[in-house]
């Protein structure tokens, strides 16, 4: 899949007509700092179209990016951000959950994990929500460049035990671009 164009479309916090457009959505979720924005930029061949979870503002909204004028990449707020108040974190969790339960035309949800860290309790809760809501789900194990071969195999084995059966996993690195083509093929053919 060649990425020809990618542009920011809009940010939403609640219901909006864009959600029910007849366009495929590839939505990205993950714990803050897992490398979600780096990975989205890597997939789109851009350096800073998608802003890092560390930047305030836009990262607390659901951001839509139109790709190749045909489908959306959707950036959901990262969760588990330590510096955020409990109230705000709960609000964000509710917004993420609401979005993932909305009826849409066609959607794949990509859960970004740090391969070195593996899934947190919140990631496991996310996987549960995704399977119960019948969202097509892909787990990506990012930051593969941080591990040697042996550690990498151990982590893949350990994480696979925590991921529900039938959920695909792809090892990747936003830094080295490992897995980029494989992810694109899986989510947008
Ligand atoms: P987000 O909060 O999930 O959007 O995470 P960011 O994309 O902002 O990345 C968090 C940190 O991890 C940044 O310092 C990135 O440079 C780093 N990072 C992201 N992806 C990778 C990767 O594949 N390899 C390595 N080594 N670092 C990464």
């Amino acid at each position: 899949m060649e990425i020809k164009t990618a542009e920011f479309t809009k940010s939403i916090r609640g219901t909006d007509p864009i959600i029910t457009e007849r366009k495929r959505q590839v939505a990205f979720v993950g714990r803050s700092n897992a490398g979600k924005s780096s990975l989205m930029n890597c997939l789109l061949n851009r350096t800073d179209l998608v802003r890092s979870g560390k930047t305030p503002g836009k990262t607390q909204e659901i951001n839509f990016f139109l790709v190749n004028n045909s489908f959306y990449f959707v950036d959901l707020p990262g969760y588990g951000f330590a510096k955020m108040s409990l109230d705000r974190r709960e609000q964000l969790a509710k917004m993420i959950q609401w979005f993932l339960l909305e009826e849409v035309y066609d959607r794949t949800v990509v859960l970004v994990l740090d391969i070195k860290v593996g899934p947190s309790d919140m990631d496991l809760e996310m996987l549960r929500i995704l399977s119960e809501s019948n969202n097509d789900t892909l787990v990506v194990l990012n930051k593969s460049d941080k591990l040697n071969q042996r550690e990498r195999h151990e982590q893949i084995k350990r994480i696979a035990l925590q991921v529900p059966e039938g959920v695909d996993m792809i090892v990747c690195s936003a830094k080295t671009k490992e897995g980029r083509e494989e992810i694109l093929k899986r989510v947008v053919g």
Side-chain angles (χ1 to χ4, degrees):
M1 155 70 53
E2 195 193 337
I3 303 296
K4 295 189 190 103
T5 58
E7 63 200 76
F8 171 73
T9 307
K10 64 154 61 173
S11 297
I12 66 167
R13 284 173 184 270
T15 191
D16 190 283
I18 198 167
I19 295 172
T20 48
E21 273 181 31
R22 288 179 67 80
K23 283 197 175 68
R24 177 165 171 70
Q25 296 177 3
V26 184
F28 293 80
V29 294
R31 179 156 51 160
S32 163
N33 215 41
K36 175 166 58 67
S37 30
S38 303
L39 183 69
M40 291 178 75
N41 284 319
C42 162
L43 294 172
L44 296 174
N45 268 333
R46 299 285 288 262
T47 48
D48 57 1
L49 179 66
V50 183
R51 296 205 222 154
S52 165
K54 278 182 246 165
T55 41
K58 284 259 185 294
T59 56
Q60 298 188 14
E61 302 180 316
I62 299 172
N63 298 309
F64 282 72
F65 301 87
L66 183 63
V67 185
N68 289 356
N69 281 316
S70 77
F71 56 88
Y72 287 117
F73 264 28
V74 185
D75 183 27
L76 285 136
Y79 41 81
F81 189 50
K83 282 189 195 147
M84 203 178 274
S85 74
L86 195 59
D87 266 11
R88 189 75 195 108
R89 266 190 269 175
E90 276 173 7
Q91 262 178 3
L92 281 186
K94 272 198 194 133
M95 185 172 75
I96 295 168
Q97 192 161 342
W98 157 76
F99 181 74
L100 296 174
L101 295 174
E102 281 290 284
E103 290 263 334
V104 297
Y105 169 65
D106 183 26
R107 173 161 67 198
T108 293
V109 180
V110 180
L111 173 65
V112 183
L113 301 181
D114 179 330
I115 189 169
K116 206 169 162 181
V117 181
S120 65
D121 287 348
M122 271 180 291
D123 292 317
L124 295 174
E125 169 72 5
M126 182 59 65
L127 282 169
R128 192 186 59 75
I129 292 168
L130 290 172
S131 85
E132 282 177 7
S133 53
N134 287 320
N135 275 288
D136 173 48
T137 306
L138 169 68
V139 171
V140 297
L141 309 182
N142 188 35
K143 308 196 188 183
S144 63
D145 59 281
K146 283 186 160 187
L147 302 182
N148 65 32
Q149 275 311 96
R150 184 183 54 80
E151 294 166 328
R152 176 187 169 113
H153 282 118
E154 275 171 9
Q155 281 302 86
I156 295 170
K157 229 166 51 187
R158 186 176 78 83
I159 297 169
L161 292 173
Q162 296 172 276
V163 168
E165 238 173 271
V167 172
D168 295 335
M169 294 203 311
I170 296 178
V171 176
C172 66
S173 163
K175 195 170 165 185
T176 65
K177 300 203 168 204
E178 181 194 352
R180 180 180 180 273
E181 289 300 325
E182 198 185 342
I183 295 172
L184 284 175
K185 197 167 158 203
R186 168 66 174 77
V187 298
V188 284

